[in-house]
Short mmCIF file of all heavy atoms in Angstrom, two decimals:
data_model
loop_
_atom_site.label_atom_id
_atom_site.label_comp_id
_atom_site.label_asym_id
_atom_site.label_seq_id
_atom_site.Cartn_x
_atom_site.Cartn_y
_atom_site.Cartn_z
N VAL A 16 90.92 131.01 161.59
CA VAL A 16 90.59 132.24 160.87
C VAL A 16 89.35 132.90 161.46
O VAL A 16 89.31 134.13 161.65
CB VAL A 16 90.40 131.96 159.37
CG1 VAL A 16 89.92 133.21 158.64
CG2 VAL A 16 91.70 131.46 158.75
N ASP A 17 88.34 132.11 161.79
CA ASP A 17 87.11 132.66 162.36
C ASP A 17 87.36 133.32 163.71
O ASP A 17 86.63 134.25 164.10
CB ASP A 17 86.05 131.56 162.52
CG ASP A 17 85.53 131.07 161.17
OD1 ASP A 17 85.77 131.75 160.16
OD2 ASP A 17 84.89 129.99 161.14
N ALA A 18 88.38 132.86 164.43
CA ALA A 18 88.69 133.46 165.74
C ALA A 18 89.41 134.79 165.60
O ALA A 18 89.62 135.49 166.60
CB ALA A 18 89.53 132.49 166.56
N GLY A 19 89.82 135.14 164.38
CA GLY A 19 90.42 136.45 164.16
C GLY A 19 91.92 136.49 164.27
O GLY A 19 92.50 137.48 164.72
N VAL A 20 92.60 135.40 163.84
CA VAL A 20 94.05 135.40 163.88
C VAL A 20 94.59 136.44 162.89
O VAL A 20 94.02 136.64 161.81
CB VAL A 20 94.59 133.99 163.57
CG1 VAL A 20 94.43 133.65 162.09
CG2 VAL A 20 96.02 133.83 163.99
N ASP A 21 95.68 137.11 163.25
CA ASP A 21 96.30 138.09 162.37
C ASP A 21 97.36 137.45 161.47
O ASP A 21 97.47 137.79 160.29
CB ASP A 21 96.95 139.21 163.19
CG ASP A 21 95.94 140.03 163.96
OD1 ASP A 21 94.91 140.43 163.36
OD2 ASP A 21 96.15 140.26 165.16
N LEU A 22 98.15 136.56 162.05
CA LEU A 22 99.20 135.86 161.31
C LEU A 22 99.03 134.36 161.54
O LEU A 22 98.95 133.91 162.68
CB LEU A 22 100.59 136.31 161.77
CG LEU A 22 101.00 137.74 161.40
CD1 LEU A 22 102.20 138.18 162.22
CD2 LEU A 22 101.32 137.82 159.92
N PHE A 23 98.98 133.60 160.45
CA PHE A 23 98.79 132.16 160.51
C PHE A 23 100.16 131.51 160.28
O PHE A 23 100.79 131.75 159.26
CB PHE A 23 97.81 131.74 159.41
CG PHE A 23 97.20 130.37 159.59
CD1 PHE A 23 95.84 130.19 159.43
CD2 PHE A 23 97.98 129.26 159.89
CE1 PHE A 23 95.26 128.94 159.56
CE2 PHE A 23 97.42 128.01 160.04
CZ PHE A 23 96.05 127.84 159.87
N VAL A 24 100.60 130.69 161.22
CA VAL A 24 101.90 130.03 161.11
C VAL A 24 101.68 128.54 160.85
O VAL A 24 100.96 127.87 161.61
CB VAL A 24 102.73 130.23 162.39
CG1 VAL A 24 104.08 129.51 162.26
CG2 VAL A 24 102.95 131.72 162.65
N ILE A 25 102.27 128.04 159.77
CA ILE A 25 102.27 126.60 159.48
C ILE A 25 103.70 126.12 159.71
O ILE A 25 104.61 126.44 158.96
CB ILE A 25 101.83 126.32 158.04
CG1 ILE A 25 100.43 126.88 157.78
CG2 ILE A 25 101.85 124.82 157.77
CD1 ILE A 25 99.97 126.75 156.35
N ARG A 26 103.89 125.39 160.80
CA ARG A 26 105.25 125.06 161.24
C ARG A 26 105.40 123.56 161.45
O ARG A 26 104.59 122.94 162.14
CB ARG A 26 105.57 125.80 162.53
CG ARG A 26 107.00 125.61 163.05
CD ARG A 26 107.18 126.44 164.32
NE ARG A 26 108.54 126.49 164.80
CZ ARG A 26 108.99 125.82 165.87
NH1 ARG A 26 108.16 125.02 166.52
NH2 ARG A 26 110.23 125.94 166.27
N GLY A 27 106.42 123.00 160.85
CA GLY A 27 106.76 121.60 161.04
C GLY A 27 108.26 121.45 161.09
O GLY A 27 109.01 122.42 160.88
N THR A 28 108.72 120.24 161.38
CA THR A 28 110.17 120.01 161.36
C THR A 28 110.73 120.39 160.00
O THR A 28 111.74 121.05 159.88
CB THR A 28 110.48 118.55 161.68
OG1 THR A 28 109.89 118.21 162.94
CG2 THR A 28 111.97 118.32 161.77
N THR A 29 110.05 119.95 158.96
CA THR A 29 110.34 120.46 157.62
C THR A 29 109.02 120.53 156.85
O THR A 29 108.16 119.67 157.01
CB THR A 29 111.35 119.57 156.86
OG1 THR A 29 111.68 120.19 155.62
CG2 THR A 29 110.79 118.19 156.60
N VAL A 30 108.85 121.57 156.07
CA VAL A 30 107.64 121.77 155.29
C VAL A 30 108.05 122.00 153.85
O VAL A 30 108.92 122.83 153.57
CB VAL A 30 106.83 122.99 155.80
CG1 VAL A 30 105.59 123.21 154.94
CG2 VAL A 30 106.43 122.79 157.26
N SER A 31 107.42 121.27 152.93
CA SER A 31 107.74 121.44 151.53
C SER A 31 106.50 121.89 150.77
O SER A 31 105.37 121.70 151.22
CB SER A 31 108.27 120.13 150.91
OG SER A 31 107.20 119.22 150.70
N ALA A 32 106.73 122.50 149.62
CA ALA A 32 105.61 122.89 148.76
C ALA A 32 105.16 121.74 147.89
O ALA A 32 104.17 121.85 147.18
CB ALA A 32 106.04 124.07 147.88
N GLU A 33 105.89 120.61 147.97
CA GLU A 33 105.58 119.49 147.09
C GLU A 33 105.52 118.18 147.87
O GLU A 33 106.15 117.19 147.51
CB GLU A 33 106.63 119.39 145.98
CG GLU A 33 106.69 120.60 145.07
CD GLU A 33 107.72 120.44 143.97
OE1 GLU A 33 108.34 119.37 143.88
OE2 GLU A 33 107.90 121.39 143.19
N HIS A 34 104.78 118.19 148.99
CA HIS A 34 104.65 116.95 149.75
C HIS A 34 103.88 115.92 148.92
O HIS A 34 102.85 116.22 148.33
CB HIS A 34 103.91 117.20 151.06
CG HIS A 34 103.72 115.96 151.88
ND1 HIS A 34 104.76 115.30 152.48
CD2 HIS A 34 102.61 115.24 152.17
CE1 HIS A 34 104.32 114.25 153.13
NE2 HIS A 34 103.01 114.17 152.95
N VAL A 35 104.39 114.70 148.88
CA VAL A 35 103.77 113.62 148.11
C VAL A 35 103.28 112.55 149.07
O VAL A 35 104.02 112.11 149.95
CB VAL A 35 104.78 113.01 147.11
CG1 VAL A 35 104.13 111.86 146.34
CG2 VAL A 35 105.27 114.08 146.13
N SER A 36 102.04 112.14 148.92
CA SER A 36 101.48 111.10 149.77
C SER A 36 100.60 110.17 148.95
O SER A 36 99.78 110.62 148.15
CB SER A 36 100.62 111.72 150.90
OG SER A 36 99.97 110.71 151.65
N GLY A 37 100.78 108.87 149.15
CA GLY A 37 99.94 107.90 148.48
C GLY A 37 98.75 107.49 149.32
O GLY A 37 97.95 106.66 148.91
N GLN A 38 98.63 108.06 150.56
CA GLN A 38 97.58 107.66 151.49
C GLN A 38 96.53 108.73 151.68
O GLN A 38 95.34 108.44 151.75
CB GLN A 38 98.20 107.28 152.83
CG GLN A 38 99.17 106.10 152.73
CD GLN A 38 99.82 105.79 154.06
OE1 GLN A 38 99.96 106.66 154.91
NE2 GLN A 38 100.21 104.53 154.24
N THR A 39 96.95 109.97 151.80
CA THR A 39 96.00 111.06 152.04
C THR A 39 96.29 112.20 151.08
O THR A 39 97.41 112.33 150.55
CB THR A 39 96.11 111.58 153.48
OG1 THR A 39 97.44 112.08 153.70
CG2 THR A 39 95.79 110.48 154.48
N GLU A 40 95.31 113.05 150.88
CA GLU A 40 95.51 114.22 150.03
C GLU A 40 96.32 115.26 150.81
O GLU A 40 95.87 115.74 151.85
CB GLU A 40 94.17 114.81 149.62
CG GLU A 40 94.31 116.01 148.69
CD GLU A 40 92.97 116.62 148.33
OE1 GLU A 40 91.93 116.05 148.71
OE2 GLU A 40 92.96 117.67 147.67
N PRO A 41 97.50 115.61 150.36
CA PRO A 41 98.33 116.54 151.12
C PRO A 41 97.80 117.97 151.02
O PRO A 41 96.99 118.30 150.14
CB PRO A 41 99.69 116.43 150.44
CG PRO A 41 99.37 116.03 149.03
CD PRO A 41 98.15 115.16 149.12
N LEU A 42 98.27 118.79 151.95
CA LEU A 42 97.90 120.20 151.94
C LEU A 42 98.52 120.88 150.72
O LEU A 42 99.73 120.83 150.51
CB LEU A 42 98.41 120.87 153.22
CG LEU A 42 98.22 122.39 153.32
CD1 LEU A 42 96.74 122.74 153.43
CD2 LEU A 42 98.99 122.94 154.53
N ASN A 43 97.69 121.51 149.91
CA ASN A 43 98.17 122.29 148.78
C ASN A 43 98.45 123.70 149.30
O ASN A 43 97.55 124.51 149.43
CB ASN A 43 97.12 122.32 147.67
CG ASN A 43 97.63 123.02 146.42
OD1 ASN A 43 98.29 124.05 146.49
ND2 ASN A 43 97.30 122.48 145.26
N LEU A 44 99.71 123.97 149.59
CA LEU A 44 100.06 125.23 150.23
C LEU A 44 99.68 126.44 149.38
O LEU A 44 99.13 127.42 149.88
CB LEU A 44 101.56 125.28 150.53
CG LEU A 44 102.02 124.78 151.91
CD1 LEU A 44 103.52 124.81 151.98
CD2 LEU A 44 101.40 125.60 153.02
N LYS A 45 99.98 126.38 148.10
CA LYS A 45 99.72 127.52 147.24
C LYS A 45 98.23 127.83 147.18
O LYS A 45 97.81 128.99 147.30
CB LYS A 45 100.26 127.26 145.83
CG LYS A 45 100.20 128.48 144.91
CD LYS A 45 100.94 128.23 143.62
CE LYS A 45 101.00 129.50 142.77
NZ LYS A 45 101.79 129.28 141.53
N GLU A 46 97.42 126.80 147.04
CA GLU A 46 95.97 126.99 147.00
C GLU A 46 95.44 127.47 148.33
O GLU A 46 94.60 128.37 148.40
CB GLU A 46 95.32 125.66 146.61
CG GLU A 46 93.81 125.71 146.50
CD GLU A 46 93.25 124.37 146.09
OE1 GLU A 46 93.54 123.91 144.98
OE2 GLU A 46 92.53 123.75 146.92
N PHE A 47 95.96 126.89 149.42
CA PHE A 47 95.50 127.27 150.75
C PHE A 47 95.82 128.73 151.05
O PHE A 47 94.96 129.50 151.52
CB PHE A 47 96.16 126.36 151.80
CG PHE A 47 95.82 126.72 153.22
CD1 PHE A 47 94.63 126.32 153.79
CD2 PHE A 47 96.71 127.47 153.99
CE1 PHE A 47 94.32 126.65 155.10
CE2 PHE A 47 96.42 127.81 155.29
CZ PHE A 47 95.21 127.39 155.85
N ILE A 48 97.05 129.14 150.79
CA ILE A 48 97.46 130.51 151.08
C ILE A 48 96.70 131.50 150.21
O ILE A 48 96.31 132.58 150.67
CB ILE A 48 98.99 130.65 150.91
CG1 ILE A 48 99.72 129.86 152.01
CG2 ILE A 48 99.42 132.12 150.93
CD1 ILE A 48 101.22 129.78 151.81
N TYR A 49 96.47 131.14 148.94
CA TYR A 49 95.75 132.02 148.03
C TYR A 49 94.33 132.29 148.52
O TYR A 49 93.82 133.40 148.40
CB TYR A 49 95.72 131.40 146.63
CG TYR A 49 94.96 132.23 145.61
CD1 TYR A 49 95.54 133.35 145.02
CD2 TYR A 49 93.65 131.88 145.25
CE1 TYR A 49 94.84 134.11 144.10
CE2 TYR A 49 92.95 132.63 144.33
CZ TYR A 49 93.54 133.75 143.76
OH TYR A 49 92.84 134.50 142.84
N GLU A 50 93.69 131.25 149.08
CA GLU A 50 92.31 131.39 149.51
C GLU A 50 92.17 132.01 150.89
O GLU A 50 91.08 132.41 151.29
CB GLU A 50 91.63 130.01 149.49
CG GLU A 50 91.49 129.42 148.10
CD GLU A 50 90.91 128.03 148.11
OE1 GLU A 50 90.75 127.46 149.22
OE2 GLU A 50 90.59 127.51 147.02
N LEU A 51 93.26 132.10 151.64
CA LEU A 51 93.21 132.61 153.00
C LEU A 51 93.23 134.14 153.01
O LEU A 51 93.84 134.77 152.15
CB LEU A 51 94.40 132.07 153.79
CG LEU A 51 94.23 131.87 155.29
CD1 LEU A 51 93.13 130.87 155.57
CD2 LEU A 51 95.55 131.36 155.88
N ASP A 52 92.57 134.71 153.99
CA ASP A 52 92.50 136.17 154.08
C ASP A 52 93.57 136.77 154.99
O ASP A 52 93.59 137.99 155.20
CB ASP A 52 91.12 136.60 154.60
CG ASP A 52 90.01 136.35 153.59
OD1 ASP A 52 90.31 136.39 152.39
OD2 ASP A 52 88.87 136.13 154.01
N VAL A 53 94.44 135.94 155.55
CA VAL A 53 95.47 136.44 156.45
C VAL A 53 96.85 136.00 155.96
O VAL A 53 96.97 134.97 155.28
CB VAL A 53 95.24 135.93 157.89
CG1 VAL A 53 93.92 136.44 158.43
CG2 VAL A 53 95.28 134.41 157.96
N PRO A 54 97.90 136.76 156.26
CA PRO A 54 99.24 136.37 155.85
C PRO A 54 99.70 135.09 156.55
O PRO A 54 99.35 134.85 157.72
CB PRO A 54 100.10 137.58 156.23
CG PRO A 54 99.30 138.32 157.24
CD PRO A 54 97.87 138.07 156.94
N VAL A 55 100.50 134.31 155.84
CA VAL A 55 100.96 133.01 156.34
C VAL A 55 102.48 133.00 156.44
O VAL A 55 103.18 133.45 155.53
CB VAL A 55 100.48 131.88 155.43
CG1 VAL A 55 101.06 130.53 155.87
CG2 VAL A 55 98.96 131.81 155.41
N ILE A 56 102.97 132.49 157.56
CA ILE A 56 104.40 132.20 157.73
C ILE A 56 104.53 130.69 157.73
O ILE A 56 103.80 129.99 158.44
CB ILE A 56 104.92 132.79 159.06
CG1 ILE A 56 104.81 134.31 159.06
CG2 ILE A 56 106.37 132.36 159.30
CD1 ILE A 56 105.10 134.95 160.41
N VAL A 57 105.45 130.15 156.93
CA VAL A 57 105.51 128.71 156.76
C VAL A 57 106.96 128.22 156.83
O VAL A 57 107.89 128.91 156.43
CB VAL A 57 104.85 128.29 155.41
CG1 VAL A 57 105.58 128.91 154.24
CG2 VAL A 57 104.75 126.79 155.29
N GLY A 58 107.13 127.03 157.36
CA GLY A 58 108.45 126.42 157.45
C GLY A 58 108.46 125.31 158.48
O GLY A 58 107.41 125.01 159.07
N GLY A 59 109.58 124.62 158.69
CA GLY A 59 110.88 125.05 158.28
C GLY A 59 111.39 124.48 156.96
O GLY A 59 110.92 123.48 156.46
N CYS A 60 112.42 125.16 156.52
CA CYS A 60 113.18 124.71 155.36
C CYS A 60 114.63 125.07 155.62
O CYS A 60 114.93 125.84 156.52
CB CYS A 60 112.64 125.36 154.09
SG CYS A 60 112.92 127.15 154.01
N ALA A 61 115.51 124.52 154.81
CA ALA A 61 116.93 124.77 155.08
C ALA A 61 117.77 124.88 153.82
O ALA A 61 118.99 124.98 153.91
CB ALA A 61 117.49 123.65 155.97
#
């Protein structure tokens, strides 16, 4: 973001809004996107 990206892409083989992990704190997509100042493209999903 500091480098001035216009569009932020979060891309994985599959990306879910409800990733569950017992080892690490997963990325909260809704919170992350809400706090970001740039539009986000996210996926994949099927």
